[in-house]
Amino acid sequence: MYTLFSGLYKYLVQKNEYCVLILGLDNAGKTTYLEAAKTKLTKNYKGMHPSKITTTVGLNIGKIDVSGIRLNFWDLGGQEELQSLWDKYYAESHAIIYIVDSSDRERIPDSKETFDKMISSENLSGVPLLVLANKQDITDCMGVREVKPIFNKNAHLIGRRDCMVMPVSALNGDGIDEGIRWLVDCIKRNSVIRPPRDQDDM
Ligand code: G3D
Ligand code: MG
């Protein structure tokens, strides 16, 4: 009887959980993006004021329930010394959000190199990838038309996976909803290959 009820309870209450890594160079806007996504998609969540967001040392975590699933976001620090830790998380992840600072032309090559290294990882093969051209609110920033060809250049590394480049402003929230909804569809489709985490393991 207990098993029957606990089974029913699980069926009704538990959501499939997926892990989404938020990656990109330091200062790209990863933490600001996570705060904005939580604010947009979580009822009654009052986001942290952008001035309170400081450089991420280590790991910053957030969860969002959307379209019947739970997304656990891991915002990993982007400084060079921390990038070496990223691949420890790859095997566990169901999607990647890669954030680019579109206003910082000087660091685009650096960001692209970091991006290529990331997508070359075996542990990430087939994982859906959302590239965000962030800081679109800044005049003179690179538009998505300019950012897209740069990050799409190595198609052989991107391989057979869902990949999208979208414009966004983490600061004012533009483009956040669209990105997350696109990612959710991809994660669900890809769950045959990368099934959700079993909650009993958590
Ligand atoms: P990180 O977590 O990737 O290191 P942060 O980046 O989220 O800490 O953001 C780094 C700086 O970029 C912050 O400014 C933040 O306010 C700013 N930023 C993030 N997203 C946007 C955006 O969409 N538009 C603009 N204009 N700025 C953004 P400070 O001045 O606090 O360092
Ligand atoms: Mg940060």
Side-chain angles (χ1 to χ4, degrees), residues 30-31 54-56 75:
K30 299 180 293 300
T31 308
T54 52
T55 305
T56 309
D75 156 25

Side-chain angles (χ1 to χ4, degrees), residues 21 23-26 58 76-91 114 117-118 121 123:
L21 298 186
L23 305 175
L25 298 185
D26 55 289
L76 306 180
Q79 293 97 316
E80 228 172 318
E81 354 29 294
L82 297 174
Q83 285 174 21
S84 57
L85 299 175
W86 290 0
D87 64 359
K88 309 267 182 295
Y89 297 87
Y90 290 166
T114 305
K117 209 158 94 194
M118 168 202 71
S121 169
N123 291 331

Side-chain angles (χ1 to χ4, degrees), residues 25-32 53 134-135 137-138 169-171:
L25 298 185
D26 55 289
N27 205 50
K30 299 180 293 300
T31 308
T32 309
I53 296 173
N134 189 30
K135 308 200 185 180
D137 56 290
I138 297 180
S169 167
L171 200 64

Side-chain angles (χ1 to χ4, degrees), residues 60-73:
N60 187 18
I61 294 178
K63 68 166 195 279
I64 296 178
D65 291 342
V66 55
S67 307
I69 63 172
R70 172 164 294 174
L71 300 177
N72 291 305
F73 289 90

Side-chain angles (χ1 to χ4, degrees), residues 35-71:
E35 275 306 303
K38 285 197 283 192
T39 307
K40 281 249 162 186
L41 294 149
T42 313
K43 253 192 243 158
N44 303 327
Y45 182 80
K46 267 184 70 208
M48 218 194 287
H49 192 270
S51 64
K52 293 255 162 51
I53 296 173
T54 52
T55 305
T56 309
V57 180
L59 175 66
N60 187 18
I61 294 178
K63 68 166 195 279
I64 296 178
D65 291 342
V66 55
S67 307
I69 63 172
R70 172 164 294 174
L71 300 177

Side-chain angles (χ1 to χ4, degrees), residues 173-189:
D174 288 346
I176 304 245
D177 268 353
E178 296 88 322
I180 301 277
R181 289 188 199 289
W182 178 83
L183 209 60
V184 164
D185 288 344
C186 297
I187 289 173
K188 284 182 176 172
R189 251 199 324 268

